[in-house]
Each structure stands twice: as structure tokens, then as C-alpha cells.
Amino acid sequence: MKFIHTADWHLGKLVHGIYMTEDQRYFLNKFVDLVEEEKPDAVVIAGDLYDRSVPPTDAVELLNEILFKINVELKTPIVAIGGNHDSAERLSFGSSWYKQSRFYLSGKLESDIQPIHINGVNFYLVPYAEPGMVRHLLNDESIHSHQDAMKAAIGKIEKHLNPNEPNVFVGHAFVLGGQTSDSERTLSVGGSGCVGSELFEPFSYTALGHLHSPDAIKHQKVRYSGSLLKYSFSEAKQEKSISIIEMKENGQFDLRIRSITPKNDLRELEGHLDELMDPSIYEKQNVNDYLKIILHDEGALIDPINKLRQIYPNVLHLERKIAMTDMKKKHSFSSVKEDKKSELELFKQFYEEMTTSEFTDEKNAVMAEVIEKTLKEEAGR
Amino acid sequence: MKFIHTADWHLGKLVHGIYMTEDQRYFLNKFVDLVEEEKPDAVVIAGDLYDRSVPPTDAVELLNEILFKINVELKTPIVAIGGNHDSAERLSFGSSWYKQSRFYLSGKLESDIQPIHINGVNFYLVPYAEPGMVRHLLNDESIHSHQDAMKAAIGKIEKHLNPNEPNVFVGHAFVLGGQTSDSERTLSVGGSGCVGSELFEPFSYTALGHLHSPDAIKHQKVRYSGSLLKYSFSEAKQEKSISIIEMKENGQFDLRIRSITPKNDLRELEGHLDELMDPSIYEKQNVNDYLKIILHDEGALIDPINKLRQIYPNVLHLERKIAMTDMKKKHSFSSVKEDKKSELELFKQFYEEMTTSEFTDEKNAVMAEVIEKTLKEEAGR
């Protein structure tokens, strides 16, 4: 029995103010081709189908179109759960109808988790849920952390699990020891959002979503597929991939990795401004890639970002790097590592990542005033 | 062939700051019972399933639950379209799956309108669309008004319409001569949003949504079903109903009306404060109804709304009425008819209708300042 494990599509994602929807459309159409070629018995999507609870309408249309191609046109069963970025209720709409054509969507955790049987394999679907919600759902006052909640959910599953059959757990969680990037949303503010990998011991394979690197944890049976695309520069060096699992009757499996080339890569580029503007350098590259450029020049440069954008239209971020021997000059221009950003800089960065509009001087002035006022009030207490 | 015509459910509606979802749930469960009893060949919902493009999650869950009961549990085909309150794209998600169990949902107008055949009747689905969207979709630069758009859409349908079969048009529009209430959203700002009823001549029956009164137009074959519940006090005296149509093979039909008693009515109550607080008066009423109370008392009253709410918890609006002979006293307290509300009063009213929170003195002060500043700027131009 063969299934594809993917997760963290984040449809409708904004990266540094740029909507990724067209890149996602290009990639997912290639993914559909891969499904057609592989002819798996199921496609498993382990949460974060959308990037937010109310995604843009073109992201809604894209998800509808891709899932329809896979499920109805290619007649491939789909097993999908909600992640921490999805709205449990909104994602769930219609799921009672979808299952009639073997599209099993669990947006919201239910107290009775019945397995989905596909070609001899049992899939247990545990969508992302806040510990408080699980406490209420299972009527168990002892649940306070994500670890407690996951343990309770798996405890319920274990009561009717047949260990002699291949059982696959599909979940969306931060499993202990996993490596984070800049584009996952923290699951818990204060306190740990982690769950221990030992909880998944009863399962032949655990198909996880949440962390964006396919190598986020080293474990024989508990795996992240990684996100669809690179969604932050901290993921620039990751190899994104699609996991193909061939599950045997005894629960052992073979893992194979396939990759799809995205329309535009997301990567870092370093050098002196003159070098980067040199045709012999840029002609060898996809200049449309999403770039973080790190300039090595010293001294003043006139409007480097607009010069660079004439060649590389998708420069998302520009930094300047100073050789350690020049540390005495550090304060003359911005440096790669800033120890502590001001509130205003942090807000500006957040604003530019979350919206498509520019953080104008006017907006800057308004925020500066608000921050100053707040800091004064804080100091006055 | 028998079908039920309903429209304008407006799930997630706020009336004077109160969510109607629990009233809608009560009513719709009775509607499901009615469907079970009538055993129609189809249920037609002519738009505005939700009250807004991004409805609250409990409205999403309610719609899912009710449509599932009708379509899957009672095995009744559903024919539904998007209205001007729905989001075409969000509502459309999943519709390709739904039609497999004969739930035909058209959220977004398509250029090729193919009929849905149910037991010998052809249903043509034309969801609400802006004229600009139809101009683009049909690539017809001459489309500017709702009348143009509807004419073009019906023109396309007529090309393949068989006039010897019973044809039902399902649409969401403001048909000329229709009577409005305070709870429909205007379709066009400036210019007419109306379409002429003569356009629907080719159809045996036209099942409309948009206007909330079932008597909104007097026409043999073109009808509004009216909204599910009363959603404004201008609808207080309307008789809401469910239309049951028995369509014959020659396109003639019999119309029957059924009504469902809502959990709480929405109505006006008039009298002197003492009378309304008298047990012999209120014990005969459902004190939980949503009320607009008009007091006939003259002179000052101490905190009448809180006194009334001890008996009638759902007083949504309080007014005072002055006999014409007392017009000289008019300015001593607020009157029923205010000729012109100030910007601040209009905003306060809007705020209280659109949110569940109170318009506090603090908010009042902020808005007063904004309005004053804007008026000064306007005056300075």
C-alpha cells in the first residue's frame, strides 16, 4: 500500500509582503502530475492547508481545484487534517459530503477518533487542537499542555487499536527535538508546545505537519514531510521534498523521497554590488527567485535596492555584512546581526511581512508616537 | 414534481447587536422536520445563505449541519445559489463534491449555465453577481447595470431552453416594484440595482431571493419566498413563510404556503410604562420576543430601558411617542420620527447594529472628535 505524505501547504501565504499563491499554483499542478504518475493509494496532508483561518479567496479556489483534481479526477483518496493555521470549523464545512468520494477531512478534533481504512492501512486523524479545547472535549481536567492533550488523544485511540495491522497516525504538532524555522507560528506562548516522540510508539508511521524541514527530527517512524515551499529565509538551504511511503502488511515501510522544482526558488545571495550587477554573474541564475541579498561593500551606496531590483525583481530583503576587522565602522551602516531591534523596527518588519503595503514615513511617524507614548506610560507606573 | 422555495437565511446575522444563530438553529431544525414531512423532490435556496462573506464559525457549522440533514440524511436534492451577502468563492468551495449527492450549489456565476434536471424540471441557477463581473465574464462591454447583466445571462440560457418543459429560474436580485425592508443591503450605490420582471417571462416559475417579504412583488410566476426570520423591525408585521410548489409537466404550478413558528418573534410593543410592567399585560405574551418598545408616557422617566428589560430581556430598541397635540413639548425628549440624525447618532446606531459591544462614552468621545475634525476639514475646503 503506497501513500504520499505532505503537509504545510500554507495557501495564501505572504512572504515579506508577496503573495505566494501563483508559486503555490505552479507547484501544486506539478504535484498533481506526480500523483498521476505515482498512482498512490492515498495522499496524506498533515495540516496547515491554508496559512490563516480566513484565507484569501484565490487560495480557497486553488485548494478546491487541486483537491478536486487529485480526489475526483485522479480518483485518489485524500486524508487531511487541520493545522494551527487553519480554522477548524471553516475547514470542516462539507467534510460529510467529501468522504463519499473518499476525501477524508478532519478539520476539528472529535472525541471519538475512528480510523479511516484504505487498502489495509488504518489512518488515525488528529487535527491540531489547543489543550484547553481538548480538556473540554474529553472532559479531562488534568489536560493542560500539548503533551497532556496528545497523550489523552492517543490513549483513546489505543483502546481500539489493533497492533497487528499497519496503523498510521496523522497529526500536526511540535515534536520534541524538532528544528524550527522562522515561518512556523509558535504553538504556545509561555510554557512548552512540545510533545514527546515516544507518544507515537504504537503507530507504524507518524505523518506529521507543523515544522517546515523534512529533516526536523531524526526518528525511524515519526516524520515531518516538510512544507510545500520555502516560506522564510531560514529555510533557504532546506531541501523540500515529497515523501512516498510503501507500507507493508506487517507495518514496516520503505521511504522514498521525490522533489519538485518550484517556479522560483527562495535563497540568499552574497557579494559586492558590482559583482551582483555583472551579467556574467546574473545570467547564470534565475533572476526571478525570491532573494535575500547580503552586500559585502563598505561605505555608502546610493539606492542599492532599486539598482538590484532592475536585475532581480524579487529582492525581498537586503542586508549589509561587515568583515570582523571592520567592527569599528559598525555603527556607520546597518549590520547583518542586530542584537536587539527597537520596538519600531520590530513593528515595521512585522507589518511588511504581514501586508502587501509599504510602511510609509507617515505610518512610521504614527507608530513612533504610539510607542513613545506607551513607553512613557510604562515608565510612569 | 414538488419543490420547496426558500431564501435569505442570513446565517450569522446580528440584529441590533444580538446574534440570531440560536434562533436560526431552532427554526432550521423545524424546517428539516417540515422537509421530512413534505418529502419534496428538491429544496431551492435562492441566495444569502450567510449574512456576510466571512460568517462566524458557528454559522458555518449550522449551515453544514442543516444541509447535511436535508441532503444526505433525508436524501433530498438541494439547489442553492450565492446572494449578495455571500462570498462567491468561499461558498463555492467543495461544490464539485456536493453535486455527487445531488446538492447543486452555484456560488459564483459561470459563463455557461447548464440546467439541473430534477424529476422532469429544469433549474437554471444564476447566483448574484456585480454587473462589472458579468461584463468581464461574458466579455460584453455593453453590460453596465443589473438589468443589462440579467438580460445577458437569461439571453444565454434562452439559446438552449426548451419551452415545452417546465423551467425554473433561481436568482438573487431586486426585481422592479419589489418592496424593500431595512435588512436588505442595497445592490447599487447610485444608479438602479433593479431588474424588470418581464425578463423572467421564458420561465414557468422564478424562485427569487433578496427581498425579505414573501409579498414583495405581485406576480403570477415571479416570486420571493421571503427571508427565514424577521431581521428588522420594518419586517415586524410580515408573515414569513415557506413556499411549496407543485410543478406540472406543462409548466403550470400550484402554490401552497406553510409557516413555522420561530423561537422568539420580533415585534413592536406600544403603551405606557406602567401598563407594560403590569403582569396582566405581559403574562399573556412571550416576554422573550425581540422587541421595539414605543412608550406613550410624557415627561421624564427614570431608566425605562432597564426597568423594561427586567420583564422583557430582549428589548432591542426603545422609542417614545408624542401625541400630536403635545408637539410643543417635542424637544423635551426624543421622538419617534427624527427627521435627520447627526453623524454621531448615525455612527452609534451603525456600531450597535454591527457589533455586540457597547458604544461607551469613551468611544463616543473618540468618534465625536473624529467627526468634528472631518467636518472642519470639509468646511475649510
Side-chain angles (χ1 to χ4, degrees), chain A residues 145-268:
Chain A
S145 64
H146 279 278
Q147 169 82 9
D148 299 339
M150 189 62 88
K151 197 172 174 179
I154 293 178
K156 288 206 65 154
I157 292 172
E158 277 199 87
K159 283 184 189 159
H160 51 79
L161 183 118
N162 181 347
N164 299 320
E165 293 179 355
N167 297 301
V168 173
F169 184 92
V170 182
H172 192 90
F174 183 3
V175 175
L176 211 63
Q179 283 195 323
T180 64
S181 70
D182 288 345
S183 60
E184 300 110 6
R185 187 183 291 163
T186 310
L187 292 186
S188 279
V189 176
S192 165
C194 291
V195 304
S197 59
E198 74 286 354
L199 292 181
F200 306 104
E201 196 45 45
F203 302 95
S204 318
Y205 180 83
T206 294
L208 289 173
H210 184 55
L211 297 182
H212 286 191
S213 165
D215 302 318
I217 47 173
K218 301 282 176 212
H219 194 288
Q220 197 65 29
K221 304 193 302 173
V222 180
R223 289 190 68 252
Y224 285 98
S225 65
S227 59
L228 200 66
L229 295 170
K230 298 174 184 176
Y231 290 128
S232 69
F233 286 106
S234 66
E235 299 166 53
K237 294 195 171 65
Q238 291 177 8
E239 288 285 338
K240 300 292 184 186
S241 61
I242 311 289
S243 303
I244 298 163
I245 288 98
E246 303 253 10
M247 179 68 66
K248 294 167 196 166
E249 276 176 35
N250 62 3
Q252 290 192 314
F253 63 89
D254 290 327
L255 169 70
R256 190 156 47 87
I257 295 298
R258 286 193 61 172
S259 62
I260 292 173
T261 306
K263 189 175 171 196
N264 301 308
D265 198 4
L266 182 141
R267 60 189 170 91
E268 292 187 8

Side-chain angles (χ1 to χ4, degrees), chain B residues 31-207:
Chain B
F31 179 71
V32 170
D33 295 342
L34 184 149
V35 172
E36 187 167 13
E37 197 189 311
E38 289 281 349
K39 296 185 180 50
D41 298 293
V43 169
V44 174
I45 315 170
D48 284 357
L49 284 81
Y50 291 124
D51 190 57
R52 49 181 114 161
S53 59
V54 180
T57 53
D58 56 357
V60 173
E61 291 185 301
L62 176 58
L63 185 66
N64 185 64
E65 181 191 318
I66 296 298
L67 296 182
F68 185 76
K69 283 182 184 171
I70 296 171
N71 180 241
V72 180
E73 294 181 5
L74 300 179
K75 297 186 176 51
T76 309
I78 296 175
V79 171
I81 60 169
N84 59 312
H85 283 247
D86 298 305
S87 158
E89 294 82 5
R90 292 182 205 284
L91 193 65
S92 296
F93 189 98
S95 46
S96 319
W97 281 273
Y98 306 149
K99 67 183 176 199
Q100 297 175 325
S101 63
R102 302 208 295 165
F103 166 18
Y104 305 98
L105 173 62
S106 180
K108 194 173 181 177
L109 186 64
E110 287 177 32
S111 58
D112 182 29
I113 304 163
Q114 288 298 330
I116 307 296
H117 307 287
I118 303 176
N119 282 15
V121 173
N122 310 318
F123 290 89
Y124 289 88
L125 276 59
V126 176
Y128 174 79
E130 298 286 339
M133 186 269 185
V134 183
R135 178 168 63 239
H136 180 76
L137 183 76
L138 302 183
N139 200 11
D140 178 350
E141 286 301 318
S142 73
I143 296 174
H144 293 285
S145 64
H146 279 279
Q147 170 82 9
D148 300 338
M150 189 62 88
K151 198 173 174 178
I154 293 178
K156 289 206 66 155
I157 292 173
E158 276 197 270
K159 283 184 189 158
H160 51 80
L161 183 117
N162 181 347
N164 300 318
E165 293 180 356
N167 297 301
V168 173
F169 185 91
V170 183
H172 192 91
F174 183 4
V175 175
L176 211 61
Q179 283 196 322
T180 64
S181 71
D182 289 346
S183 61
E184 301 109 8
R185 189 183 291 163
T186 311
L187 292 185
S188 279
V189 177
S192 165
C194 289
V195 305
S197 58
E198 74 285 355
L199 292 181
F200 306 105
E201 196 45 45
F203 302 95
S204 317
Y205 180 84
T206 294

